Amino acid sequence: MSRSEENVRLTVGAAELTIDPGNGCRVSSLRIGGAELLRQGDRYGCFPMVPWCGRTANGEFRNGDELHRLPLNSPPHAIHGTGRDTSWHTAHSDADVAEGRAAFYYDLAEPWPYPGRVTQTFELSEDTLTLGLSVETYGNSFPAQAGWHPWFLRTLDGRNAELSFDAAWQEERGADHLPTGRRIDPLPGPWDDCFGMPDGVDVKLTWPERLELTVKSRSEWVVIYDEQEEAVCVETQSGPPNGLNTLPRLVTPIDPLEIATTWSWTPLRGDARP
């Protein structure tokens, strides 16, 4: 993986965002009033999941009658796509960055079997961050997914994050960590589970007396992962894990896959700083 692309920093008011295009175009830092919200490290921050999200069963998927095999980077499955392991290219101007915007792209290549382009955009304001992903094909149609895997710090200034959301259902998880295809009433955590929200993703993280952050999207799918002490993950995505097989969304020459999510935050103490 090349690290030739330089980090890009967006700053608007008390919000500061750092993007590392050379390391999977991940958000390596999100600081609000000087307080870091994301777990640090090359594997963490917030990375894009593309052209699939979560686990793909046994690293296999079909496009019509054609069977494709992906590297088993989480045996026995393939997990989280290729975008996080790729160096992306910048597609923005200095004026864009000055206004709190940035865009990046990479061209799909092996081990993904179809040519195409992935674009990721960022737009930062004083109290929101909007992320966008699009997947387009250069030729044949193919199934794809897109989403984000943020590692929000569980603890902020000694305050543990509290999760709040209202899902219509939970995808039952099998022993292989894949959805069984059965929808059940949401169970109490801890979770490494996919939830359905037909009216759009709406999940709130609250660090009491410090900060409230809301993750929203028009997409109806979100994975909640909070089985680690260090972080809580709220993963907006265009379909459920193993969706290349169970709920394929075709990218066609006239219909790219597009998804967006917005994070908004509010300080919870009088001096308006987290």
Side-chain angles (χ1 to χ4, degrees):
M1 176 175 63
S2 170
R3 298 298 299 272
S4 60
E5 294 284 344
E6 295 183 356
N7 287 0
V8 173
R9 182 170 289 108
L10 306 179
T11 302
V12 180
E16 182 178 293
L17 179 76
T18 304
I19 305 154
D20 186 351
N23 184 22
C25 203
R26 74 187 63 218
V27 176
S28 60
S29 173
L30 175 62
R31 301 179 70 86
I32 309 300
E36 179 61 61
L37 300 190
L38 297 174
R39 184 179 182 184
Q40 297 298 284
D42 285 347
R43 297 176 53 235
Y44 302 109
C46 172
F47 60 81
M49 298 182 290
V50 65
W52 73 91
C53 299
R55 295 171 178 85
T56 294
N58 303 310
E60 297 181 344
F61 74 96
R62 290 185 178 274
N63 187 11
D65 294 332
E66 194 168 5
L67 176 65
H68 299 287
R69 291 183 171 87
L70 302 166
L72 304 182
N73 57 352
S74 182
H77 308 305
I79 197 170
H80 294 337
T82 61
R84 64 174 180 157
D85 299 317
T86 301
S87 181
W88 296 48
H89 305 285
T90 60
H92 57 252
S93 67
D94 291 342
D96 292 329
V97 172
E99 294 177 3
R101 298 193 300 266
F104 307 84
Y105 69 92
Y106 82 98
D107 290 321
L108 292 167
E110 291 292 338
W112 186 253
Y114 296 98
R117 174 164 290 187
V118 179
T119 302
Q120 183 170 203
T121 60
F122 302 85
E123 186 167 353
L124 181 69
S125 74
E126 292 188 6
D127 55 8
T128 63
L129 170 63
T130 299
L131 304 95
L133 275 168
S134 67
V135 184
E136 57 185 306
T137 178
Y138 286 155
N140 293 334
S141 301
F142 56 81
Q145 294 180 296
W148 293 271
H149 195 305
W151 295 83
F152 294 110
L153 287 173
R154 182 181 296 274
T155 303
L156 187 62
D157 192 27
R159 314 286 185 176
N160 283 342
E162 300 172 355
L163 269 172
S164 175
F165 62 95
D166 184 16
W169 73 84
Q170 179 176 333
E171 295 286 320
E172 183 182 58
R173 175 163 52 96
D176 58 2
H177 277 258
L178 297 175
T180 65
R182 180 170 170 255
R183 293 179 175 180
I184 60 175
D185 291 336
L187 300 173
W191 299 287
D192 182 10
D193 294 282
C194 181
F195 297 88
M197 299 184 179
D199 295 328
V201 170
D202 189 347
V203 180
K204 186 173 294 183
L205 289 92
T206 303
W207 294 269
E209 301 179 30
R210 300 295 277 118
L211 192 78
E212 180 180 278
L213 183 144
T214 303
V215 176
K216 289 191 174 184
S217 174
R218 291 182 179 179
S219 177
E220 66 177 332
W221 301 97
V222 64
V223 168
I224 305 293
Y225 176 59
D226 67 344
E227 293 183 345
Q228 293 190 12
E229 292 185 3
E230 296 85 354
V232 177
C233 304
V234 180
E235 306 164 37
T236 302
Q237 46 195 67
S238 63
N242 200 32
L244 292 183
N245 293 302
T246 62
L247 194 67
R249 197 290 193 185
L250 283 181
V251 176
T252 75
I254 62 172
D255 188 18
L257 168 61
E258 297 178 331
I259 184 174
T261 186
T262 297
W263 305 350
S264 58
W265 51 82
T266 303
L268 295 180
R269 68 184 192 187
D271 63 2
R273 296 183 307 168

